[in-house]
Structures are given as C-alpha cells and as structure tokens.
C-alpha cells in the first residue's frame, strides 16, 4: 500500500512529528486530493498544545486547497485535475496537514478562476463557521440562492461581532452585508477598523479601550430599547478577553454565540492551555440571555448546508467577489515539519493580526 507524509501531534505540548501514513483509495462519493496549500488555525494549537478532544497520534489541520487526483465510483461533480478547496476534518483521511486528503466531494468547492489556492484556503472552516452560526444559533434565514431584492427581517437589528478582525469575524461581517444586515458593529484593534467598515460594519470599537463596554452599550441604547444588541457573536472565545466583557453587554433577550472552546489560560512555551466547553458557566449571564457555544462540526446535520455550503455557496461568493479572502501570511520553511512547527509557534505567540497563516504541504516547490 502506498503511503504519504502527514503532520501529527503525538501529545499535548510535544514537538510535532511527520508520520508516513497509508494513502486510502477513494470509494463511493469520495475524492482524493493532493493537498497543495493549507492554513493553520487556532484549533491546531488547541489540539497540539492543549490536547483538546484529541486521542494522539492525530493528523492536524482542517482546511485544504489542492488538485483532485482520483475519484470514487459515485462521484458526479468533480473530475481528476479539478482545483478545489474545502473544510475537511472528520477522520484521519480527511485531516488537512498531509499530502493527500480523501473526503466526499460535497466537502469541496471548485477553485474559481482568478483565485489562488493561498487565498481560497483561508475560507473553508471559518466561512462555514460564520454561516452555520447565523442559521443555527441566531435563526437567520440566509436563503440560497438569494432572492432578488431580499430583505431579512432582522436587517435593522444590532449584531455585535466581537473580534471582527479574526478570520471568522471578517467572513461573518461580509456575509451579513450581502444579506442586507445594516446594523453590524464590531470590535477589533484600530488598524483594522477601515477594512471592517468596508466589509459592512457600521461602527467599530477598539476592544483594548478601557471604556469599550460602556461605549458599546451607549451606542446600542441610543438606537434601540432592551436588548440593545439582540445578537452577539464572540469570534474569540477568551474568558477574560471576550466572554466576560460580552456578559456585561448582553441583556435579557440577547442571543450570544461563543466559538468554542473558551480559552481560560493561553498556550505558551511550557504552559499547557486550559479550556472550558460550557459557555453557560463561564460568566454571570443575566437571566434571559441565551448564551451558547458554537461547534461548526455539527453543520452537516443541516442537509441543505451539507449539500450546498462548501460545494456551491462558498465558491460562488468567492468567485463573485462578495467575499474577500483573509489576507495571507505565508509561512516559509525548508521542510513540511519546519513549516508546521513555525505556524504553530506563530499561533502560540499571537503573531498574526487580521490575517491567516498559510503554507505549502509539499516540499516540491513546482507543485
Ligand atoms: N467551535 C468552532 O466550531 C470554531 C470554529 C472556528 C473557529 N473557532 C474558534 O474561534 C476562535 C477564532 O478563530 P479564528 O481562526 O477566526 O482566529 P484568528 O483569525 O486567528 O484570530 C486572531 C484575531 O483575534 C483578534 N483578537 C484576539 N484577542 C481578541 C479580543 N480579546 N477581542 C477581540 N479580538 C481579539 C486579533 O485581533 P486584532 O488583530 O484586531 O488585535 C486577531 O486579529 C478560535 O479560538 C477558534 O478555535 C471555533
């Protein structure tokens, strides 16, 4: 049986390793993709340093862009040679930080003309996360295809995107703009405010400002009765940095969606991070606030999203320029292991602001 290299965590805080693992043959609706570019996301750090929900050894990564090299007998949409990108995570064969990924075709979109793999690979997990959260946690419709002249019934209600410059935050704001939401506010550091306003935020606040909570509350109450902000998306999930501040803003009737995990103690060299998965217990939420944790992995429970979100909606909105990809910081390194370790260390050191870390899977630069 043929094998290929994969980046593997072998235990919390231990150095990453490259393992040769067997290359599965795609069956049924599966395709085999040669992974060319991947992205590193905070989940890699949660898994590698924190061991979060991991039984090692585990291949890391869940966003991939590459070329289809083999298809199963029931594949109807994709062909060998197609350039694709997708969010794939459910088992070792699907995980992204390896030379070949095998997954069903509905987990991939075709790379649009004019988009590079580096750009496209910034989308899959966090575009899906934002979309899923709006539907599952806020009850928004986001109809697809979007009818001509569509106006959502919550178009004028305030929506706070805490952490608007994060990868998820940027996609969230852009999706809301496209569906006509007109009262989106965001927190981010100041250097990102212009960009987020361009994406559709009507007002941005600096989350480092000592008076940020009062400022947001004053802004919201100048426009609406309680709850001043009916919808709050926490794209950061930091106990001190986002969850507790948000608990001071949310009021009875507010829906709060927090991207899990909630980080209680940050990762650092020699320090194992600590997490909570129970948002309800993380803060003193006012009675009447609905605060829940988001787990994107459940988006496939929604049949329509499973069938359309990655295969059609994501590539179409990228192709039409509705969604601008996150900026990319290319992680360089001589070997696969070097690039993977360096990306992890940059996540640990919080070295990225408003951008996504992307890197090549292959050591062969001609790919
Ligand atoms: N549960 C799920 O299904 C799921 C899915 C996707 C993501 N997530 C989680 O969501 C989180 C974000 O993921 P991501 O990939 O979008 O992160 P990211 O892009 O790596 O986030 C980096 C950004 O976070 C911002 N930031 C840091 N601390 C902040 C704070 N206290 N308040 C506001 N902004 C802050 C920084 O903003 P500035 O540069 O402006 O300072 C930086 O631009 C991660 O913990 C991830 O694991 C969960």
């Amino acid at each position: 049986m043929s094998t290929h290299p994969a980046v593997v965590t072998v235990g919390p805080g231990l150095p990453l390793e490259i393992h040769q693992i067997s290359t599965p043959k795609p069956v049924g609706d599966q395709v085999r993709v040669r992974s060319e570019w991947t992205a590193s996301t905070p989940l890699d750090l949660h898994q590698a340093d924190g061991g979060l929900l991991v039984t090692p050894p585990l291949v890391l990564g869940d966003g991939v862009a590459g070329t289809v090299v083999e298809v199963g007998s029931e594949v109807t949409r994709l062909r060998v040679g197609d350039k694709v990108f997708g969010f794939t995570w459910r088992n070792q064969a699907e995980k992204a930080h390896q030379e070949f990924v095998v997954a069903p075709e509905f987990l991939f979109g075709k790379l649009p003309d004019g988009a590079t793999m580096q750009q496209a690979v910034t989308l899959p997990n966090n575009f899906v996360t934002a979309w899923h959260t709006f539907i599952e946690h806020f009850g928004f419709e986001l109809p697809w295809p979007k009818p001509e002249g569509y106006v959502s019934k919550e178009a004028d209600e305030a929506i706070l995107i805490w952490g608007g410059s994060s990868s998820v935050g940027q996609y969230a704001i852009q999706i809301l703009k496209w569906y006509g939401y007109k009262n989106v506010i965001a927190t981010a550091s100041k250097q990102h405010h212009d960009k987020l306003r361009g994406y559709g935020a009507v007002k941005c606040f600096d989350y480092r400002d000592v008076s940020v909570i009062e400022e947001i509350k004053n802004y919201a109450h100048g426009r609406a009765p309680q709850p001043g902000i009916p919808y709050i998306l926490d794209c950061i999930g930091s106990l001190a940095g986002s969850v507790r501040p948000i608990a001071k803003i949310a009021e009875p009737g507010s829906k709060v969606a927090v991207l899990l995990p909630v980080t209680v103690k940050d990762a650092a060299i020699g320090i194992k991070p600590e997490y909570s998965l129970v948002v309800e217990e993380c803060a003193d939420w006012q009675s009447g606030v609905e605060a829940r944790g988001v787990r994107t992995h459940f988006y496939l429970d929604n049949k329509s999203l499973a069938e359309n979100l990655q295969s059609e909606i994501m590539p179409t909105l990228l192709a039409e320029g509705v969604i601008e990809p996150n900026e990319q910081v290319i992680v360089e390194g001589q070997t696969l292991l070097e690039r993977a370790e360096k990306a992890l260390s940059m996540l640990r050191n919080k070295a990225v602001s408003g951008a996504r870390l992307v890197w090549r899977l292959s050591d062969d630069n001609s790919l």
Side-chain angles (χ1 to χ4, degrees):
M1 177 179 271
S2 56
T3 64
H4 65 265
V7 179
V8 168
T9 170
V10 293
L14 295 175
L16 300 177
E17 294 181 3
I18 301 297
H19 289 190
Q20 284 293 325
I21 62 173
S22 59
T23 311
K25 208 174 162 44
V27 294
D29 65 348
Q30 294 176 333
V31 295
R32 179 160 66 95
V33 172
R34 177 188 294 283
S35 322
E36 284 155 57
W37 285 86
T38 191
S40 281
T41 74
L43 181 63
D44 300 333
L45 189 66
H46 305 328
Q47 294 188 321
D49 277 20
L52 183 72
L53 305 177
V54 164
T55 308
L58 175 86
V59 180
L60 290 174
D62 51 22
V64 65
T67 305
V68 176
V69 292
E70 192 179 359
V71 299
S73 57
E74 291 160 27
V75 168
T76 55
R77 188 174 54 87
L78 296 179
R79 299 208 173 128
V80 169
D82 282 346
K83 310 272 184 217
V84 295
F85 63 120
F87 169 43
T88 57
W89 75 93
R90 298 174 303 170
N91 52 49
Q92 294 284 285
E94 289 189 4
K95 294 288 283 180
H97 295 174
Q98 55 182 326
E99 192 180 339
F100 293 108
V101 165
V102 175
E105 63 174 340
F106 64 82
L107 292 180
F108 297 100
K110 280 194 198 169
L111 187 74
D113 289 343
T116 64
M117 287 194 188
Q118 296 95 304
Q119 292 171 327
V121 81
T122 69
L123 265 84
N125 38 20
N126 286 335
F127 176 87
V128 170
T129 294
W131 200 285
H132 160 80
T133 306
F134 291 144
I135 288 189
E136 175 65 24
H137 292 260
F138 292 170
F140 295 171
E141 284 183 340
L142 310 190
W144 181 266
K146 187 176 73 164
E148 192 70 29
Y150 175 76
V151 181
S152 89
K153 56 183 187 304
E154 311 89 0
D156 294 314
E157 297 196 45
I159 304 170
L160 170 60
I161 307 294
W162 188 286
S165 65
S166 68
S167 170
V168 183
Q170 292 183 39
Y171 292 129
I173 295 169
Q174 294 183 84
I175 291 167
L176 290 174
K177 179 183 183 184
W178 193 62
Y179 276 105
Y181 289 84
K182 297 200 285 284
N183 196 3
V184 177
I185 60 181
T187 67
S189 45
K190 276 210 172 60
Q191 78 259 27
H192 298 304
H193 287 191
D194 283 349
K195 179 180 189 174
L196 299 186
R197 278 193 289 263
Y199 283 169
V202 288
K203 180 90 182 151
C204 294
F205 298 87
D206 186 346
Y207 65 90
R208 292 191 178 90
D209 206 323
V210 284
S211 56
V212 64
I213 293 167
E214 284 317 305
E215 284 177 30
I216 292 174
K217 282 163 85 165
N218 289 341
Y219 172 84
H221 283 136
R223 300 175 153 240
Q226 191 166 300
I229 307 183
Y231 302 100
I232 303 177
L233 169 56
D234 179 357
C235 299
I236 303 303
S238 158
L239 183 62
S242 61
V243 178
R244 284 183 178 151
I246 286 172
K248 294 183 183 145
I249 295 170
E251 295 169 322
S254 297
K255 289 187 177 188
V256 180
V258 179
L259 299 189
L260 292 175
V262 174
T263 302
V264 175
K265 189 202 253 184
D266 280 323
I269 289 185
I271 294 182
K272 189 173 177 214
E274 289 171 16
Y275 304 104
S276 167
L277 296 174
V278 191
V279 166
E280 297 79 347
E281 294 172 4
C282 282
D284 291 329
W285 301 103
Q286 283 192 53
S287 148
V289 171
E290 185 188 313
R292 286 168 59 205
V294 174
R295 289 186 71 175
T296 309
H297 292 173
F298 292 119
Y299 96 92
L300 292 177
D301 292 348
N302 179 323
K303 192 165 177 289
S304 164
L305 289 191
E307 282 171 7
N308 300 314
L309 191 52
Q310 295 213 67
S311 60
E312 187 182 323
I313 301 175
M314 180 174 74
T316 304
L317 295 187
L318 178 61
E320 291 178 353
V322 171
I323 298 293
E324 181 177 85
N326 296 154
E327 264 178 43
Q328 308 104 60
V329 172
I330 296 182
V331 182
E332 306 282 1
Q334 290 296 311
T335 64
L336 177 59
L337 186 59
E338 260 183 56
R339 295 186 288 278
E341 282 284 14
K342 192 164 162 191
L344 202 58
S345 151
M346 290 171 82
L347 286 172
R348 199 181 288 123
N349 298 332
K350 299 186 191 296
V352 250
S353 170
R356 182 92 297 177
L357 297 170
V358 300
W359 40 285
R360 283 180 171 282
L361 266 313
S362 173
D363 292 335
D364 178 354
N365 285 342
S366 66
L367 286 174

